[in-house]
Amino acid sequence: MELMEELLKDWDGESIIISFDRPSGAWIIIAIHSTRLGPATGGTRLKSYSGLREAVVDAQRLSEGMTYKWAAAGSDMGGGKGVIAVLPDMVEEARPGLLVRYGSLIQRLNGLFLTGPDLGTSVEDMDIIGGEAPEYVFGRTPTAGGAGDPAPFTALGVFSAMEVTAQHLFDDPSLAGRRIVIQGAGSVGRVLADTLCSAGADVLFTDVDPQAINYCRHELGVKYIPAEEVYEIKCDIFAPCAVGGVLNQATIQRMDCLAVVGAANNQLARSEDATFLQQHSILYAPDFVANCGGAIAITGMETRGWTKEEASVHVRQAVRENLARIYRLSKEEGINTDNAARLLADTRLNPSNP
Ligand code: PHE
């Protein structure tokens, strides 16, 4: 009880729905951070956590990130996130039933929360959830009438963010010959690695999953580095594309890069770490600006009828314009880039404020 009181009082979001899924032993958490600009919309993350508290905090922070992501991108959507905290030993057979029950909960929320794929969920999972809540699920397979996988669009947005960053650092947007270290070769990281190799960048990656390592090394031919070495490697751009919280006092001190541009959500452990990065002369592309591509593309294709090509154009443009503006604003106002990005989003969230 005390736990929930503390967690909710200190949070500036609107509400949280928590449900215990008895058959699978999983906790379902849906955090509604803001419906100011539209229905709370965000992906569904499925993984195991150390406990309910950690899962609730993750849902809270991720849903806040979505509020800023939509606002900065100029979308008329609010911030929300679904977290399904499964038991570490949950059997595969329990998954479809869990997703069906999760979908039926979303259906009963009647449009308060809309979802799509995120870490740990796939487009096929969206088909199952969407079977129960057809109007409230993005990113189903094309066969089921959805726009499919957001990952290539997220990767495209991150790539554009890297070009803007290179332009800012070197007065040249080309990534050819630049050394880029990718942390996490999941659905986004591997597409990004592939695109960067084609652009002539010197790409290195790390992951902990043997299958992902194998794929990137042997199918893509990207150089692998052990996870524990990832922060020390001298490079132009460090790209966090896995879990959040990787930019903290301990890691920033070890980092030998000129910029951080990646796809992971909530890369900063604490908001002050953006200042810490600045003090270490590391240019930080705010995560919710760099990684908006998937969300923008999939929702645009499904609600505005964009083709894939149109979606790609929108993603590139949104990331380029916003990030260039943020770097400028950060310089002009003498604030860190994360604060500059929040300022930009705030002007859309609270247009009446000067
Ligand atoms: N996982 C996406 C993100 O964090 C969320 C999303 C994807 C939302 C697709 C809607 C559609 O940005």
Side-chain angles (χ1 to χ4, degrees):
M1 214 35 221
E2 219 175 303
L3 160 125
M4 284 303 146
E5 283 174 6
E6 194 192 306
L7 284 183
L8 281 165
K9 270 188 183 164
D10 298 340
W11 187 54
D12 70 344
E14 293 176 13
S15 45
I16 302 185
I17 293 108
I18 301 180
S19 161
F20 182 61
D21 184 65
R22 201 164 298 280
S24 68
W27 286 100
I28 293 171
I29 299 122
I30 296 175
I32 310 293
H33 181 260
S34 168
T35 53
R36 176 167 281 205
L37 298 180
T41 307
T44 295
R45 180 162 292 204
L46 188 150
K47 65 187 270 277
S48 61
Y49 288 86
S50 65
L52 178 59
R53 186 195 169 89
E54 196 198 9
V56 170
V57 170
D58 207 26
Q60 288 178 315
R61 293 199 58 202
L62 290 163
S63 65
E64 181 187 341
M66 290 309 300
T67 298
Y68 284 105
K69 188 179 303 190
W70 298 121
S75 293
D76 47 2
M77 295 204 170
K81 201 90 181 188
V83 164
I84 305 181
V86 294
L87 295 172
D89 54 359
M90 183 181 80
V91 290
E92 261 311 295
E93 297 78 68
R95 194 180 165 109
L98 166 60
L99 294 176
V100 166
R101 290 183 294 276
Y102 175 67
S104 110
L105 172 61
I106 293 180
Q107 178 64 19
R108 277 175 281 134
L109 294 177
N110 205 20
L112 175 68
F113 174 65
L114 278 58
T115 199
D118 195 73
L119 206 135
T121 58
S122 64
V123 287
E124 288 76 19
D125 292 335
M126 294 306 121
D127 287 355
I128 300 180
I129 301 167
E132 304 302 308
E135 292 166 68
Y136 308 132
V137 175
F138 291 107
R140 277 183 277 177
T141 59
T143 323
D149 190 7
F153 295 100
T154 307
L156 175 69
V158 175
F159 183 82
S160 303
M162 288 182 176
E163 289 182 322
V164 174
T165 304
Q167 171 70 35
H168 191 86
L169 290 172
F170 315 114
D171 230 359
D172 174 8
S174 169
L175 298 166
R178 303 288 176 210
R179 173 171 268 201
I180 296 166
V181 173
I182 300 178
Q183 181 185 45
S187 56
V188 178
R190 58 183 67 182
V191 182
L192 182 64
D194 198 19
T195 315
L196 285 166
C197 288
S198 307
D202 172 21
V203 187
L204 301 163
F205 85 101
T206 188
D207 201 297
V208 284
D209 172 35
Q211 265 181 353
I213 296 173
N214 219 4
Y215 175 83
C216 278
R217 266 181 128 163
H218 304 299
E219 305 285 321
L220 302 181
V222 188
K223 279 172 266 173
Y224 164 79
I225 44 167
E228 57 285 3
E229 288 171 27
V230 76
Y231 299 108
E232 271 93 4
I233 291 219
K234 189 177 171 66
C235 61
D236 295 298
I237 301 177
F238 172 59
C241 295
V243 289
V246 297
L247 306 175
N248 55 53
Q249 301 278 314
T251 56
I252 293 167
Q253 251 157 21
R254 291 159 61 193
M255 283 165 52
D256 193 2
C257 62
L258 300 176
V260 174
V261 186
N265 282 310
N266 296 346
Q267 293 169 26
L268 300 167
R270 303 162 318 141
S271 60
E272 305 88 273
D273 292 322
T275 304
F276 202 52
L277 281 165
Q278 196 178 27
Q279 287 162 353
H280 281 71
S281 304
I282 298 172
L283 183 62
Y284 170 62
D287 48 11
F288 62 84
V289 176
N291 73 13
C292 74
I296 297 299
I298 298 302
T299 55
M301 286 162 76
E302 294 189 17
T303 63
R304 297 173 200 218
W306 293 347
T307 61
K308 279 194 167 183
E309 290 68 33
E310 286 167 336
S312 302
V313 172
H314 280 279
V315 167
R316 273 177 200 275
Q317 201 179 346
V319 172
R320 278 190 190 147
E321 283 177 10
N322 280 337
L323 196 57
R325 200 144 149 203
I326 286 159
Y327 287 159
R328 225 180 301 128
L329 196 63
S330 151
K331 215 177 206 168
E332 283 166 10
E333 302 288 322
I335 53 179
N336 70 47
T337 52
D338 192 57
N339 283 335
R342 283 169 197 276
L343 207 61
L344 176 71
D346 273 333
T347 57
R348 295 187 178 141
L349 281 165
N350 305 299
S352 52
N353 282 3

